[in-house]
Amino acid sequence: MKSVARLFAEKLLKISAIKLQPDMPFVWVSGWNSPIYTDNRRTLSYPEVRTFIKVELTRLVLEKFPDAEAVAGVATGAIAQGALVADELGLPYVYVRSTPKDHGLENLIEGDLKPGTKVVVVEDLVSTGKSSLKAVEAIRNAGCEVVGMVALFSYGFPVAESNFEDAGVELHTLSDYNAMLDAALGTNFITDSDMETLRRWRLDPANWTPQR
């Protein structure tokens, strides 16, 4: 029987949510060059995949963070997924902006979050973890307890693991980089040469450059 991680990776590949460009790398916000890009927003356009995400993220929350009293999505990628999970659990929902709104109430957290609430955070993608943990900090600054985080996908970088450990945040994801590689190779999405490129990049993403 296939694991959830492998099943979800296959679904991402099937809807072209994973893009591979070893010769023309993507540039992340961090400035890193990357031969791969994961666009989880595409999942919202596919009802079957969207339902899979809702069910499996909800399962993760119930198994790992059963004491959660509210759900917080991280803007913008996880706003929709967080709302789906909150609706399935019947819990209050808010979302956290990357920066405060520059007009009106200038909110950083959108919604009604009561101090003292135990919150589970929903994220779409974890790379270094910095943006995800900014949302955690905002929730803690609002006087709430973050019981943990669930996400769709993680690249599994050591720097992210270190950042989450330092922040005291438990993270669980539906799928990860290794599961994606296995699924991509198994479905002929990538070649053995691509696999080697992706493995090299994963070892040192901050300094990786494409080989011409």
Side-chain angles (χ1 to χ4, degrees), residues 58 61-62 65-72 82-94 117-120:
T58 299
V61 173
L62 290 172
F65 311 113
D67 55 342
E69 299 168 332
V71 178
L84 289 170
V85 171
D87 191 58
E88 190 76 1
L89 291 169
L91 293 177
Y93 178 66
V94 300
T117 302
K118 295 181 178 180
V119 182
V120 62

Side-chain angles (χ1 to χ4, degrees), residues 136-196:
V136 169
E137 182 181 11
I139 294 167
R140 287 173 171 170
N141 288 341
C144 297
E145 177 186 348
V146 174
V147 296
M149 183 182 298
V150 295
L152 275 67
F153 187 89
S154 171
Y155 286 102
F157 295 133
V159 65
E161 295 175 4
S162 177
N163 286 337
F164 272 86
E165 184 177 351
D166 290 345
V169 178
E170 184 178 341
L171 171 68
H172 295 276
T173 66
L174 293 189
S175 194
D176 55 35
Y177 190 69
N178 289 331
M180 183 276 295
L181 287 185
D182 289 342
L185 196 59
T187 56
N188 297 317
F189 180 80
I190 59 175
T191 64
D192 289 338
S193 175
D194 292 332
M195 177 69 89
E196 181 57 30

Side-chain angles (χ1 to χ4, degrees), residues 47-78:
E48 184 267 335
V49 181
R50 193 173 65 225
T51 298
F52 178 91
I53 290 169
K54 176 182 70 175
V55 170
E56 292 301 330
L57 282 180
T58 299
R59 177 188 59 78
L60 267 184
V61 173
L62 290 172
E63 287 182 0
K64 306 298 183 180
F65 311 113
D67 55 342
E69 299 168 332
V71 178
V74 180
T76 58

Side-chain angles (χ1 to χ4, degrees), residues 15-38:
I15 64 172
S16 299
I18 294 175
K19 308 289 187 182
L20 184 65
Q21 293 182 187
D23 298 324
M24 294 185 295
F26 302 96
V27 180
W28 288 1
V29 174
S30 61
W32 292 1
N33 289 310
S34 172
I36 190 169
Y37 185 82
T38 306

